[in-house]
Amino acid sequence: MIIFGHRGAPGYPRRGENTMASFQKALYCGATGLEFDVRRCGDGRLVVIHDDTIDRTTNGRGRVENLSYKELQRFDAGNGEPVPLLTNVLDQFGGQCLLNLELKDAGIASVVKNLILERRLERQVIVSSFEWQELPQLTPEIPIGLLSSKLQDLFPAAREFGASAIHPRRDLVSGSLIATAREAGLRIHAWTVNDPDEIRRFRNLEIDGIFTDFPERCSTPAS
C-alpha cells in the first residue's frame, strides 16, 4: 500500500502544508509518496498551494493568480518557508518517491507535462484532478488519476480518458469497488484517510494506496 503524504504531513503538530519541510517530514514519518496541489501564480509560474488564495496557509492575503512569485516569497507558508515552486519540488523529491500532482487550475496540464518530461520523471509521478477533462493531454506519457467524491461515471470516464488510477473519497471504497478497479486494470487510491482503524481496514482490503495527513500512523504495528 502506497502511503501518500497529503500535502506532505500537515497533521498535528502542525508544520505547514505543501511546503518543502512538510514533504520532508512526510518521508521521515514513513510516507512512500507525496501528494500536492499545483496552481499558476501571477507571473505564470507554477506553484504548490491548495487554495486559490494565500489567506489560510500563509501569513499574507490575496489571490494566488494576482501575486507574482517574487511577491509570494514574502509570506510564511510554514516554518518560515515560502510557497514552493513546482520545479523545486520536482527537483528535490522526484527521485525519492512517487509524486501525485493535483491540478487546481485549468489550462496548466501542458506546462506540467513539459516540466515532468524534461526531468524524465514520468515513471515517478501521477497527475490527478477533479476536472477530468484537463487530464487526457498528459497521456500516454504520464499516468493520470481521476479524483472523485462520487462513483457515477467514474469507470467509464477512466476508460475514455486513459486513466491509470481512480482516486475516490474514502467512504466510497469497498472490497467490491477495489475488485472492479482491478478488473479494469486501474489502481485505486483513497482520500483522505487519517483514522488508524480505517488505515488498518484499507490495508486489509489491499488497496493500492491512501492519502493521509498522518503518515506515521501507517507504519505502526497496529496499522
Side-chain angles (χ1 to χ4, degrees):
M1 184 172 76
I2 299 171
I3 308 302
F4 289 97
H6 179 241
R7 308 178 200 169
Y12 182 82
R14 191 168 180 80
R15 294 281 299 277
E17 65 175 51
N18 278 329
T19 63
M20 302 297 274
S22 186
F23 298 142
Q24 196 63 58
K25 179 189 175 188
L27 297 180
Y28 177 80
C29 290
T32 52
L34 296 173
E35 185 272 350
F36 52 88
D37 308 282
V38 182
R39 291 185 177 277
R40 180 184 282 122
C41 70
D43 60 16
R45 290 200 271 185
L46 297 184
V47 294
V48 175
I49 186 170
H50 179 272
D51 299 357
D52 57 5
T53 76
I54 64 171
D55 301 13
R56 179 180 65 86
T57 57
T58 80
N59 61 348
R61 296 184 65 83
R63 296 187 64 82
V64 176
E65 65 184 1
N66 294 336
L67 296 165
S68 69
Y69 189 64
K70 184 176 181 180
E71 291 171 318
L72 284 174
Q73 284 182 298
R74 303 201 316 256
F75 304 113
D76 184 352
N79 283 345
E81 288 189 90
V83 172
L85 287 166
L86 173 60
T87 51
N88 291 345
V89 177
L90 292 176
D91 291 341
Q92 179 70 27
F93 298 104
Q96 297 189 48
C97 64
L98 182 62
L99 304 180
N100 185 107
L101 291 68
E102 181 182 341
L103 305 184
K104 304 301 286 187
D105 281 345
I108 63 173
S110 61
V111 181
V112 169
K113 181 177 184 177
N114 289 338
L115 293 175
I116 292 169
L117 294 180
E118 286 170 3
R119 290 162 173 77
R120 299 181 180 179
L121 292 176
E122 56 268 30
R123 295 188 178 184
Q124 290 292 113
V125 305
I126 183 167
V127 179
S128 64
S129 179
F130 284 100
E131 303 300 327
W132 301 340
Q133 71 277 4
E134 295 293 321
L135 296 171
Q137 61 188 293
L138 293 152
T139 61
E141 295 92 340
I142 295 170
I144 61 171
L146 305 189
L147 274 161
S148 186
S149 56
K150 59 183 180 180
L151 296 180
Q152 183 180 358
D153 299 327
L154 185 55
F155 285 102
R159 288 193 298 271
E160 178 184 352
F161 296 137
S164 300
I166 55 172
H167 296 174
R169 195 178 61 211
R170 70 184 193 279
D171 58 299
L172 300 176
V173 179
S174 62
S176 61
L177 185 73
I178 293 172
T180 302
R182 295 267 163 77
E183 291 173 5
L186 294 166
R187 287 175 286 163
I188 181 167
H189 307 134
W191 55 274
T192 300
V193 186
N194 290 330
D195 180 77
D197 289 338
E198 198 166 30
I199 291 169
R200 183 165 54 252
R201 180 176 78 87
F202 281 122
R203 194 183 295 279
N204 290 338
L205 286 173
E206 298 184 343
I207 197 170
D208 296 291
I210 62 170
F211 301 97
T212 181
D213 297 330
F214 299 92
E216 68 277 10
R217 295 181 181 175
C218 305
S219 58
T220 62
S223 67

